[in-house]
Amino acid sequence: MVVFTSRSKRLKKGPSVLSQLRSFKALLALAALPAVALLAGCGGGGAKDPFEVTPTPAFTVSPGAITLYSNNPSVVTITSGVGPFQVFSSDSVVLPVDPVVGGSLVTLVPKNVNADTVVTLTLRDALGRNATVAATVKPATLVGNVEIVPLANSACSSSGGSGGSGGAAAPAGPTAVCTGDTATVKVTVRSANTSVIPNRQVRFDVVFGTFQFVTDANGANPSNTVTLVTDQNGSANALIKTGDTIPSQAALIRVTDLVTGNRVDTAFTIVQKIDGSAVLSIVPSGYVSKGFYKGQCGGTAGDFLIYGGRPPYTVRSSLPGAVVLQVNGVTGDPVIVAASGQSFRALTGFSTLCGGYKASIVVTDAAGLSKTVTYEEQPGSEELPPLPSPEKLVVSPANVFFICSPSRSVTFSIAGGVSPYTIRTSRPAQT
């Protein structure tokens, strides 16, 4: 009884058994909460797996359709996919391709066609996925010869180029336009079957030379490039103006069909003019030839072009024994050049014990107007090698290589041995 009573008292002093059981369950619940939170953090709730592989990129090319012109390159670009790539053509005759694509660019150069031809290109990536491109091959356009026509009243209008006035036959050489003058540049664009192409954009460009395109009626806005549209006859005509105070010079103009990229380059000559008359001009103004060894002058040849003045021209050398003149393979002093735009040649021979010399070459036209150019020979600067002993025969140079022409010659030096010498060639008919 006493013990029982004592325990009853202890129970009365502390929480009841039921209360203690409830507290224990609450502790168990709290202990379970971190485990629940850990489970939520590791998997559920749609969280992304940090070890997931990036999705494979789609296989795409650009453009999906392309227009090509015969013999003109174009490019198809692979914009996404898994390399290496391959490409196949449905018509390898019209549009041949290399099956193996290096990188992401596919260069296409179609062959000639007479009419529009559709070719399907199939591109394939390393995963076996395909992409197609519809390629339409069109016939290439033909940019005709460029015609440069000086003004009808120009002093250079009879110096070359069809369309010039004066009734004189155009001499050999490129078209000539006087300084400060204007000229018309004409071109016709045709299709592969030679039909003219109207409403086609054509660009004219200055490649080199002192001239510009006239872009307005007053000539206030000259330009190095101009784009025009062909008329109903497939023709485009540009207007050029040369510089006023420039020496005679060569010039080059380029005409490009902007649709196909086909182009043609044409050369012409700008001839210096003063006070409305063509001045006699010679290009270049002089030549300088230099030997190799000290005291030696080399044998060379140089061509001079004559423009302007009044042909025919008489050409004389101040040193006819040293500087020989030649026209069309015929030598003499004087020589006659028949027409503007034609040339004469000055030749010199190899010489030893040469201190150098300078010859004046005078060109006089039919009206008595004269112009002087120069041809200068200078000795070399290298020391001569020592002579070999008399017992040893040496010929120098040992070998000579040059492009054959009727006017070329080569000189050999003989040292040593005992003179006189006998010289033979294995090809007497040619050398």
Side-chain angles (χ1 to χ4, degrees), residues 353-366:
L353 301 177
C354 175
Y357 54 88
K358 187 175 183 179
S360 296
I361 302 174
V362 181
V363 179
T364 306
D365 74 349

Side-chain angles (χ1 to χ4, degrees), residues 204-217:
F204 296 77
D205 293 296
V206 175
V207 180
F208 61 80
T210 310
F211 71 98
Q212 288 185 299
F213 295 98
V214 179
T215 59
D216 58 82

